[in-house]
Structure formats: structure tokens, C-alpha cells
């Protein structure tokens, strides 16, 4: 397949690919089926230029934004990434610390190695990503835990009713990892830094879900719990979730204006325009392509965050010019974590923030409010 470019994250992406055993590197990098969606997500940004402007006072540029009721120093958050804690011993808690220091948002995946309670302790009011499980009692328990540990809101992911084939994972036997084969073991041993780092943390479990399954090993646990994701979830199911959760509710995986309208009508406070970074539907349109229709459907009744393919400051500014409140990054922070733990995540966040500031300045925009005022006129369709 065409290798998509990793933008400002090229260094950490390359380092992650060197440091991680192949099956984890491919787990992060890969997408569903032909991986066309991943390519399209990047290509869509190339169709837009940002018009340079001069004769404006841009001595100080502020990229801060208000999103999901929080104030962020830069207009992006860390997306929920399952198994991130398997990439480096600093785990999700380390990433949360980096996000907090940089003043950006963070969401904890249902499939996180560190339980949400540990991530919440870091502070900075993260958001808990949840699924509606077939067992509503179990879903209620996740909600109760989220409320109890002080999560600022929940993000319910709706694009995983079906688990598609990810060919790289099939090739690597990723989903059968509970009993590693000799080849898999050899592949791990060939990455001693990763092995040593992980060995110090004992037998990994999906800390966030371990209490709900008696399966052994992270893959057994993941399989058990993935089977719990409720494929019957519909608008009534979302309304049920709304009635159970009093805090902020965000719906993730929205790619159609009608779904956005339904989410808002069911009481969601915002949506995340996402094709799961090309890991679910393939082929799917790029998120940037569908963004304007979704912004129209939401009609200002909630925040609209976009993810999938954000790799440069220019991508962030383009998405905001087309109506996104903010954006979210998945693989980039996973690569950074794998490359060098918490410190690398912090550097990666700062690198992206700096690019956003530079691009805003070069476009003659002193802040995000000015970008919103200029809107699509800040752009040039190539
Ligand atoms: C994800 N994503 C994801 N989303 C979610 O709601 N729950 C999850 O557990 C996961 N797990 C996960 C694992 C890995 C390895 C990746 C790369 C992604 C999707 C994620 O939140 C986000 O939508 C995409 O990663 C955004 O695309 P980019 O930034 O990776 O291109």
C-alpha cells in the first residue's frame, strides 16, 4: 500500500516502528481491509491550501480553544487508543501527564492497560471512552466508575458494531497473542528495550476491564469484552445512555449528518467526526470531506471534533477553518509513547502546537476566534 506520511510525527513514528515488536507496530499503524481510508484521510488535507496573509499583528498568537467544556492550550486532544499501555512502561498514565503539562485534552480508551481510575488521578479531568455493552449492568458499572473517579465526561464510540479484518493483525496473529507462538516470542525478543521495559511491569492485563472478565492475557480479555460491544445500539440505546449519564456526553465515530443530528437530538453535547483512523469502514470517505455537512447538521448545538489523519499544524487549521471546534490525534501520541514514553508524548504535543501557532501567524490570525471568523475563506481549494 501507499505509505501515508507521518508529518511532524515522522521521527517518533520511525522510532516506534524500530522499538516495537512487529505485531505491536503493525497494530498501531494498520487499518481495515485495503487501508484506503487511511490514505484518503491524509490525501483530503492536500486538497486545501491555507492562504498566507501579511500586514497583521501576529506578535502573539494564541492557539487556545474551549472544547467539551474544557479550556485547552492548543486545539487538539489525545484520542482514545486501546492497548496504548503495551507500547511503553509509562503507559496511559504517562501520556495523561504529558497532556496535562501541555494543557490539551485526553481520552482514556475502554481497552486501556491503566484503569481509568489511575489516569483520573493524574488530574486534568480526562474523558472516558466507553462502549455500550450488551450487558447494560456492566455499562452502568463503567459509568459509575467514570463518575466516581471524576471523569469530566464520556465519549461513546459508535463505529465498532462490527470488527472488520485488519490484515496486518491477521498476518501477525495479533489476536491470538494470549499464547504467543515461537515466532512471535522471537519477534519480541528481537526488541530487547521493549521487552525489558515491559518485563518490569509484570503480566499485562487490560486494567480498565479486568474486573469484568475471567479470561487470561490481554488478548483473551480483549476478545471477551469486544464480544460485549452491543451491535444493536440505536438511537433509543443512545437515549438510554443519556438517561444514565448525567455529565457531558460525546458521540464518536460520526460520518453522516443524519447520525450527527440523531446524536444531538438524543442529548449528546458534541460529536467526533471519525472513521477510527481507517480501522473500521474501508473504503470510507475522509473525515475532512464529510466535516462541513456534519457541522451544518449540528447547527451549533454542540462541539464538533475531527480525527483521522491529523499529522500537521496545517491539518489542524484546515479542519478548524471548515468548522471543527478542535481535532484529535490517535496514532501520533501512540508512536510518541512507544518512542520515548511520557517525555516523547510531551515533545510531540508541543511540536504540533507550535506548528498550529506558526500556521495561524502566517495566515495573519492572532487566535482561533479570528480563524473561526475567517472560516473557509482562510483556505484555498487546490
Ligand atoms: C484507536 N482508536 C480507538 N477509538 C476508540 O474509540 N476506542 C479505542 O479503544 C480505540 N483504540 C485504538 C487503537 C489504536 C492503536 C488506534 C490507532 C486507534 C481510534 C482513535 O481514537 C482515533 O479515532 C484514530 O486513531 C484517529 O486517527 P489517527 O489520528 O490515528 O489517524
Amino acid at each position: 500500500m501507499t505509505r501515508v506520511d507521518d508529518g511532524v510525527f515522522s521521527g517518533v513514528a520511525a522510532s516506534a516502528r524500530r522499538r516495537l515488536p512487529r505485531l505491536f507496530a503493525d497494530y498501531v499503524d494498520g487499518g481495515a481491509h485495503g487501508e484506503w481510508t487511511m490514505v484518503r484521510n491524509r490525501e483530503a488535507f492536500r486538497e486545501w491550501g491555507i492562504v498566507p496573509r501579511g500586514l497583521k499583528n501576529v506578535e502573539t498568537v494564541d492557539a487556545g480553544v474551549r472544547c467539551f467544556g474544557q479550556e485547552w492550550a492548543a486545539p487538539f486532544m489525545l484520542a482514545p487508543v486501546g492497548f496504548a499501555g503495551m507500547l511503553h512502561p509509562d503507559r496511559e498514565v504517562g501520556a495523561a501527564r504529558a497532556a496535562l503539562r501541555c494543557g490539551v485534552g485526553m481520552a482514556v480508551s475502554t481497552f486501556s492497560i491503566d484503569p481509568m481510575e489511575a489516569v483520573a488521578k493524574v488530574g486534568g479531568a480526562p474523558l472516558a471512552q466507553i462502549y455500550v455493552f450488551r450487558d447494560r449492568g456492566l455499562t452502568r458499572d463503567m459509568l459509575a466508575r467514570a463518575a466516581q473517579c471524576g471523569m469530566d465526561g464520556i465519549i461513546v464510540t459508535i463505529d465498532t458494531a462490527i470488527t472488520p479484518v485488519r490484515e496486518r493483525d491477521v498476518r501477525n496473529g495479533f489476536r491470538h497473542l494470549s499464547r504467543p507462538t515461537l515466532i512471535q516470542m522471537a519477534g519480541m525478543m528481537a526488541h530487547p528495550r521493549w521487552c525489558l521495559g515491559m518485563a518490569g511491569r509484570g503480566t499485562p492485563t487490560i486494567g480498565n476491564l479486568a474486573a469484568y472478565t475471567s479470561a487470561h492475557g490481554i488478548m483473551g480479555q480483549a476478545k471477551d469484552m469486544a464480544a460485549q460491544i452491543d451491535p444493536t445500539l440505536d438511537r433509543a440505546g443512545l437515549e438510554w445512555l443519556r438517561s444514565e449519564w448525567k455529565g457531558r456526553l460525546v458521540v464518536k465515530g460520526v460520518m453522516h449528518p443524519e447520525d450527527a443530528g440523531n446524536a444531538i437530538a438524543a442529548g449528546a453535547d458534541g460529536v467526533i467526526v471519525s472513521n477510527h483512523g481507517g480501522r473500521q469502514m474501508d473504503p470510507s470517505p475522509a473525515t475532512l470531506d464529510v466535516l462541513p455537512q456534519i457541522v451544518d447538521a449540528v447547527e451549533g448545538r454542540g462541539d464538533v471534533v475531527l480525527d483521522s489523519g491529523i499529522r500537521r499544524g496545517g491539518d489542524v487549521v484546515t479542519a478548524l477553518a471548515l468548522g471543527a471546534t478542535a481535532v484529535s490525534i490517535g496514532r501520533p501520541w501512540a508512536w510518541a509513547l512507544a518512542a520515548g514514553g511520557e517525555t516523547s508524548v510531551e515533545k510531540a504535543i508541543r511540536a504540533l502546537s507550535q506548528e498550529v501557532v506558526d500556521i495561524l501567524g502566517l495566515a495573519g490570525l492572532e487566535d482561533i476566534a479570528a480563524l473561526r471568523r475567517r472560516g473557509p475563506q482562510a483556505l484555498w481549494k487546490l
Side-chain angles (χ1 to χ4, degrees):
M1 64 154 290
T2 322
R3 153 87 60 208
V4 289
D5 83 283
D6 304 320
V8 70
F9 307 106
S10 299
V12 283
S15 168
R17 289 181 192 118
R18 275 195 309 273
R19 282 172 182 243
L20 290 173
R22 177 70 183 262
L23 84 178
F24 279 112
D26 274 353
Y27 160 68
V28 173
D29 279 352
H33 302 163
E35 300 191 342
W36 287 24
T37 305
M38 282 175 16
V39 177
R40 280 200 192 150
N41 282 337
R42 292 294 302 127
E43 295 284 310
F45 287 103
R46 285 214 236 173
E47 286 168 23
W48 295 96
I50 301 162
V51 183
R53 294 293 305 272
L55 302 176
K56 305 267 183 194
N57 181 349
V58 287
E59 193 184 9
T60 52
V61 174
D62 179 2
V65 79
R66 185 173 174 79
C67 187
F68 300 151
Q70 304 184 345
E71 301 289 341
W72 300 341
F76 61 91
M77 63 177 283
L78 308 191
V81 169
F83 289 179
M86 289 303 295
L87 308 177
H88 190 279
D90 286 358
R91 307 208 291 211
E92 290 88 354
V93 158
R97 275 197 220 105
L100 179 63
R101 271 203 299 282
C102 298
V104 299
M106 153 106 190
V108 195
S109 163
T110 289
F111 289 91
S112 63
I113 303 300
D114 280 327
M116 62 169 108
E117 289 79 1
V119 181
K121 259 195 205 135
V122 170
L127 297 144
Q129 179 264 320
I130 63 136
Y131 292 104
V132 174
F133 289 133
R134 291 174 192 269
D135 179 343
R136 295 291 201 263
L138 216 153
T139 315
R140 272 201 196 99
D141 193 64
M142 290 282 287
L143 297 177
R145 285 172 53 202
Q148 179 83 33
C149 73
M151 285 283 161
D152 197 50
I154 59 166
I155 296 177
V156 59
T157 300
I158 61 159
D159 58 4
T160 50
I162 306 284
T163 307
V165 168
R166 294 187 192 139
E167 292 182 1
R168 299 193 211 204
D169 289 350
V170 174
R171 264 198 308 275
N172 296 328
F174 183 74
R175 287 178 189 165
H176 304 286
L177 199 58
S178 3
R179 284 205 196 102
T181 61
L182 278 176
I183 295 177
Q184 286 173 335
M185 294 283 270
M188 290 190 217
M189 302 302 258
H191 295 82
R193 251 187 310 200
W194 178 84
C195 283
L196 281 173
M198 298 317 286
R201 306 298 302 247
T203 312
T205 61
I206 305 179
N208 211 23
L209 297 175
Y212 307 131
T213 160
S214 53
H216 291 296
I218 52 166
M219 282 305 153
Q221 295 177 336
K223 206 169 153 197
D224 234 26
M225 297 311 297
Q228 269 289 343
I229 297 174
D230 190 350
T232 70
L233 179 72
D234 55 9
R235 181 164 155 184
L238 186 60
E239 282 164 358
W240 170 82
L241 184 70
R242 175 71 285 182
S243 69
E244 291 288 326
W245 173 258
K246 305 298 168 218
R248 198 170 312 276
L249 171 66
V250 176
V251 177
K252 174 173 184 278
V254 171
M255 288 292 289
H256 192 283
E258 197 175 295
D259 293 350
N262 277 334
I264 298 291
D269 302 293
V271 297
I272 303 186
V273 180
S274 170
N275 54 35
H276 220 102
R279 298 165 75 82
Q280 288 298 116
M281 170 66 92
D282 186 85
S284 150
T287 49
L288 193 70
D289 291 335
V290 299
L291 172 69
Q293 322 168 33
I294 292 175
V295 170
D296 284 350
V298 170
E299 292 177 319
R301 291 172 290 165
D303 289 331
V304 179
V305 164
L306 173 138
D307 79 19
S308 302
I310 297 285
R311 301 291 182 267
R312 285 277 177 202
D315 305 338
V316 181
V317 173
T318 302
L320 268 61
L322 290 175
T325 313
V327 302
S328 168
I329 53 170
R331 291 182 187 85
W333 78 260
W335 291 324
L337 184 67
E342 182 179 332
T343 328
S344 283
V345 177
E346 180 170 349
K347 275 192 200 150
I349 295 172
R350 294 205 189 281
L352 184 62
S353 305
Q354 188 58 51
E355 278 201 2
V356 173
V357 166
D358 292 348
I359 298 273
L360 287 173
L362 289 167
L365 298 162
E366 72 278 16
D367 57 19
I368 301 294
L371 172 61
R372 287 203 209 299
R373 280 195 300 276
R374 203 178 295 166
Q377 285 177 1
L379 305 179
W380 184 270
K381 180 85 172 159
L382 301 170

